[in-house]
């Protein structure tokens, strides 16, 4: 097997693998808040921030527009800007960044071993802040037309649907946010929801109800996405009460049906709930492996807010700091 490069520092003339106090995996609000706290505790954290379209990920906030409920910003703040500021704040205190995806972890050895971008990295403690990704419908046509009219990111792809008709699937805050955002471009937005009641918060519901470009199809599921030549032409709907099927012509389909935690890397090494979320010893952030902590959407199936993710990131850094102090 070829020798992998290591995250090295130079001692005298010899390069030796550097063992970090803390490696943070993930760079959303959880990972970056953990980085701020760990850096301010002089732990010199390395943040392996992941790659997205050639740059650092910054997580789901980089795919959103206005964040209106993050405390401290009276007029709201753009998601990517909030991430940029958190990143710079942690850097100011000594956090370092590696823009790579972690491909492999070994949490059975001490120090812990991670492989990212073909290099080995070692750490006495690891904070997992890998977040979650959008759930897919898993219906015919979805995979084939993904990126060709099917999307899970209105901020990224809404622009392509100027004066078009788009369908948004889901009934939560994300669906309302996507639908409302899409009316900046689309002439008509149809929200398809599987029940007759939305899950979204009242304020987001009301905003969508008031928007005359948004209409609702209740009690319906999308059973198939239709289209050819790299273009969506419609969806097949099924009424959940009568079972009746119908076709709805549209030019794009945006999915907003929740998320799946990015925890596959740790399966078999850490305790994971059946729905994929990492198990932590509440109210702390410790996983079943001493020295490994989890925060943010990777361990939170309930709140999943930027501010709650940031809160758990802070807790994870403080837990790691205590763990390291006890090691000494
Ligand atoms: P969510 O609240 O879990 O809502 C997912 C929606 O998708 C639900 O309405 C669900 O239907 C529907 N759904 C799930 N699987 C489906 C399937 N296979 N087919 C059809 N429909 C399906 O997820 P979310 O909207 O992404 O929100 C996640 C969290 O982020 C929430 O805590 C939310 O408050 C927060 N958030 C906040 C903001 C904001 O405040 N600006 C914006 C976005 C998200 P049921 O209702 O029938 O279960």
């Amino acid at each position: 097997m070829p020798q992998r490069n290591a995250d090295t520092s130079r001692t005298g003339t010899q390069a030796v693998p550097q063992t970090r106090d803390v490696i943070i995996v993930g760079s959303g609000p959880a990972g970056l808040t953990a980085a701020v706290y760990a850096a301010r505790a002089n732990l010199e954290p390395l943040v392996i921030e992941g790659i997205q379209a050639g740059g650092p990920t910054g997580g789901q906030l980089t795919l959103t527009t206005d964040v209106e409920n993050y405390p401290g910003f009276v007029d709201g703040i753009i998601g990517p800007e909030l991430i940029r500021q958190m990143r710079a704040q942690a850097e100011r205190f000594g956090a370092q960044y590696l823009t790579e995806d972690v491909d492999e972890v070994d949490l059975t050895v001490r120090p812990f071993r991670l492989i990212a971008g073909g290099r080995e990295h070692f750490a006495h403690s690891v904070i997992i802040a890998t977040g979650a990704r959008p759930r897919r419908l898993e219906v015919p046509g979805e995979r084939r037309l993904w990126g060709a009219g099917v999307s899970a990111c209105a901020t990224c792809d809404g622009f392509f649907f100027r004066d078009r008709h788009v369908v948004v699937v889901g009934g939560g805050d994300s669906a309302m946010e996507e639908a409302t955002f899409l009316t900046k471009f689309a002439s008509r937005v149809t929200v398809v929801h599987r029940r007759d009641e939305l899950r979204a918060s009242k304020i987001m519901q009301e905003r969508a109800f008031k928007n005359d470009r948004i209409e609702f199809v209740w009690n319906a599921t999308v059973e198939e996405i239709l289209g050819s030549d790299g273009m969506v032409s419609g969806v097949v709907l099924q009424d959940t009460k009568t079972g009746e099927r119908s076709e709805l012509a549209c030019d794009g389909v945006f999915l907003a049906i929740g998320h799946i935690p990015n925890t596959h890397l740790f399966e078999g090494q850490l305790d994971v709930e059946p729905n994929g979320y990492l198990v932590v010893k509440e109210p702390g952030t410790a996983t079943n492996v001493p020295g490994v902590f989890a925060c943010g959407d990777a361990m939170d199936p309930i709140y999943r807010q930027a501010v709650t993710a940031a809160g758990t990131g802070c807790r994870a850094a403080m837990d790691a700091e205590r763990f390291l102090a006890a090691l000494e």
Side-chain angles (χ1 to χ4, degrees):
M1 201 170 119
Q3 189 68 39
R4 282 171 163 131
N5 293 323
D7 177 16
T8 54
S9 62
R10 206 157 272 281
T11 309
T13 55
Q14 252 190 329
V16 292
Q18 182 183 356
T19 298
R20 303 265 177 176
D21 277 332
V22 189
I23 288 182
I24 297 166
V25 187
S27 59
L32 293 177
T33 305
V36 170
Y37 274 76
R40 281 178 54 78
N42 274 342
L43 297 176
E44 296 179 347
L46 175 69
V47 183
I48 304 183
E49 58 186 348
I51 307 174
Q52 184 174 278
T57 72
Q60 296 171 71
L61 270 192
T62 55
L63 303 177
T64 188
T65 47
D66 294 340
V67 180
E68 293 178 339
N69 50 12
Y70 199 89
F73 299 95
V74 68
D75 297 320
I77 182 166
I78 305 289
E81 176 58 16
L82 180 58
I83 287 296
R84 195 191 64 74
Q85 291 203 22
M86 287 182 180
R87 196 177 182 280
Q89 188 179 359
E91 196 165 30
R92 181 181 147 215
F93 296 115
Q96 292 174 356
Y97 296 94
L98 179 66
T99 310
E100 294 287 357
D101 287 331
V102 174
D103 300 314
E104 215 179 302
V105 293
D106 188 351
L107 305 176
T108 62
V109 294
R110 295 289 192 284
F112 301 119
R113 182 170 154 271
L114 297 87
I115 296 174
R119 279 178 185 269
E120 285 182 314
H121 300 270
F122 297 93
H124 296 300
S125 71
V126 173
I127 294 177
I128 298 168
T130 45
R133 64 185 183 282
R135 184 188 302 281
R136 294 191 182 197
L137 283 170
E138 309 295 349
V139 296
E142 179 182 49
R143 200 175 287 265
R144 182 170 52 87
L145 295 162
W146 194 268
V150 184
S151 167
C153 178
T155 319
C156 319
D157 301 322
F159 182 78
F160 302 111
F161 294 90
R162 194 171 289 282
D163 300 326
R164 302 291 178 90
H165 174 209
V166 296
V167 161
V168 172
V169 188
D173 279 337
S174 296
M176 296 310 105
E177 189 175 62
E178 301 265 287
T180 306
F181 177 78
L182 283 165
T183 60
K184 289 186 186 189
F185 310 100
S187 52
R188 183 178 162 211
V189 177
T190 305
V191 175
V192 175
H193 183 38
R194 63 184 179 182
R195 294 187 293 135
D196 60 4
E197 187 183 15
L198 295 173
R199 179 180 293 278
S201 57
K202 285 280 172 280
I203 185 166
M204 305 282 271
Q205 291 193 22
E206 274 159 23
R207 207 172 283 172
F209 288 145
K210 269 193 213 147
N211 191 320
D212 57 14
R213 286 195 188 185
I214 301 178
E215 62 197 51
F216 289 81
V217 174
W218 303 104
N219 300 313
T221 51
V222 171
E223 295 298 316
E224 186 174 349
I225 301 175
L226 306 169
S228 56
D229 301 329
M231 275 168 69
V232 166
S233 60
V235 288
V236 175
L237 300 179
Q238 180 161 316
D239 189 301
T240 56
K241 301 246 153 129
T242 63
E244 201 177 303
R245 287 199 172 209
S246 59
E247 274 188 33
L248 176 67
C250 66
D251 306 298
V253 179
F254 286 82
L255 306 183
I257 56 170
H259 294 85
I260 299 170
N262 297 320
T263 55
H264 56 283
L265 203 57
F266 311 102
E267 275 165 21
Q269 302 194 52
L270 295 179
D271 288 348
V272 172
E273 299 280 4
N275 57 7
Y277 287 86
L278 292 171
V279 177
V280 295
K281 296 185 183 111
E282 295 280 2
T285 60
T287 66
N288 58 305
V289 174
V292 179
F293 305 90
C295 53
D297 284 12
M299 51 67 90
D300 172 18
I302 299 169
Y303 301 104
R304 294 174 295 172
Q305 303 298 300
V307 68
T308 53
T312 56
C314 160
R315 281 156 54 185
M318 293 175 79
D319 289 343
E321 193 186 343
R322 284 191 193 123
F323 170 82
L324 292 165
L327 271 191
E328 280 165 16

